[in-house]
Amino acid sequence: MNKELDDGFIGALMVSLQDERVIEKIKEIAEAGSFSQMGEPKELLREKDKEIAKLQQEIESKKEEIIEYQKMIHRLNEKMESYFNELQKRRADYREAEELYDAIQQLSETTKSSLKGIFKGSSVQEFIVCGVQYENISSLWDFIKNEIMEGREQEREILLALFLYFFQEYSKTYDTPLYKIQQVKMNEVFREDLYIRALNSKISGNITDILLPGYISINGKTIKKSVVRI
């Protein structure tokens, strides 16, 4: 009985499936389902594309930030290198000042007593502060000149090193130094308008020794004549 019913149902279904209206309806249902299934992935793709585009924008923005940070790091490294070089230079200058301060302690008591009016205090720091003042540099030059003219040259080397060091340090305090060392050439003909003849020199002739360099102003005016031997 059931078999007969099933056979009848199947037969009726087969007849219905041959009906053009049924066939069209089935096509419509199938196509609608197909479009619906295809629409979902397309929408998902569009969303993903939007997310990818947004991420790419963020990546580009981060790249620009990284470039700016790299520039900043480069500038900071340059500043650090400049500060380091300046620190090294200051340390070198300070070491030289320390060495000169120690050298002063080895001078005779008479010389040290004479220099007390120029270098006051009892520390390297006070020594430097006094030494870079122009009035003290000028007084030191005068003292060295008088020692040479009196024939006391035993300590000239230390005194000359003192003068040259502080003369250079004083010049560094200006963008354009106010003074510069007078240029004197060995074997140059002696001229009284430019130089001072030292003790035990000839009346005239060529320069054989430069005992104390003088200095001139930036406009060429002679401030201190070099002390030379001929």
Side-chain angles (χ1 to χ4, degrees), residues 12 61 100 115 171 190 218:
S61 176
L100 287 171
L115 292 176
S171 296
F190 174 78
I218 55 173

Side-chain angles (χ1 to χ4, degrees), residues 172-187:
K172 291 176 185 177
T173 61
Y174 295 90
D175 293 332
T176 302
L178 301 179
Y179 308 101
K180 60 182 179 180
I181 294 295
Q182 185 183 41
Q183 296 300 309
V184 185
K185 295 179 180 179
M186 295 293 291
N187 297 317

Side-chain angles (χ1 to χ4, degrees), residues 104-118:
I104 282 184
Q105 312 313 312
Q106 308 306 317
L107 295 172
S108 66
E109 291 301 322
T110 302
T111 301
K112 283 193 289 186
S113 177
S114 299
L115 292 176
K116 280 184 179 179
I118 299 173

Side-chain angles (χ1 to χ4, degrees), residues 6 14 19 40 63 71 83 107 111 165 178 202 208:
D6 288 343
M14 293 299 292
D19 190 313
E40 291 180 7
K63 283 181 179 178
K71 289 179 180 178
Y83 291 149
L107 295 172
T111 301
Y165 173 75
L178 301 179
K202 298 175 182 177
T208 59

Side-chain angles (χ1 to χ4, degrees), residues 106-158:
Q106 308 306 317
L107 295 172
S108 66
E109 291 301 322
T110 302
T111 301
K112 283 193 289 186
S113 177
S114 299
L115 292 176
K116 280 184 179 179
I118 299 173
F119 298 106
K120 302 176 179 66
S122 58
S123 67
V124 179
Q125 290 83 356
E126 291 170 320
F127 169 70
I128 294 172
V129 170
C130 291
V132 295
Q133 296 180 38
Y134 176 75
E135 293 78 9
N136 289 336
I137 294 170
S138 177
S139 296
L140 176 61
W141 191 94
D142 289 337
F143 174 75
I144 300 171
K145 176 213 160 188
N146 290 336
E147 290 292 289
I148 294 171
M149 299 306 288
E150 293 293 329
R152 294 187 290 270
E153 297 184 27
Q154 298 87 346
E155 299 173 315
R156 181 176 63 87
E157 188 175 341
I158 294 175

Side-chain angles (χ1 to χ4, degrees), residues 9-61:
F9 173 75
I10 291 170
L13 180 60
M14 293 299 292
V15 172
S16 297
L17 288 174
Q18 293 176 8
D19 190 313
E20 289 185 3
R21 290 175 298 173
V22 174
I23 291 171
E24 290 297 326
K25 192 66 176 175
I26 291 172
K27 285 181 178 181
E28 289 176 7
I29 293 170
E31 288 175 356
S34 176
F35 287 139
S36 176
Q37 290 175 1
M38 290 177 64
E40 291 180 7
K42 285 183 178 180
E43 185 61 31
L44 285 173
L45 285 173
R46 281 194 291 269
E47 291 298 323
K48 295 300 180 185
D49 286 341
K50 289 179 181 179
E51 290 182 14
I52 290 171
K54 183 179 178 182
L55 289 171
Q56 286 176 334
Q57 288 180 345
E58 291 181 2
I59 289 170
E60 292 302 318
S61 176

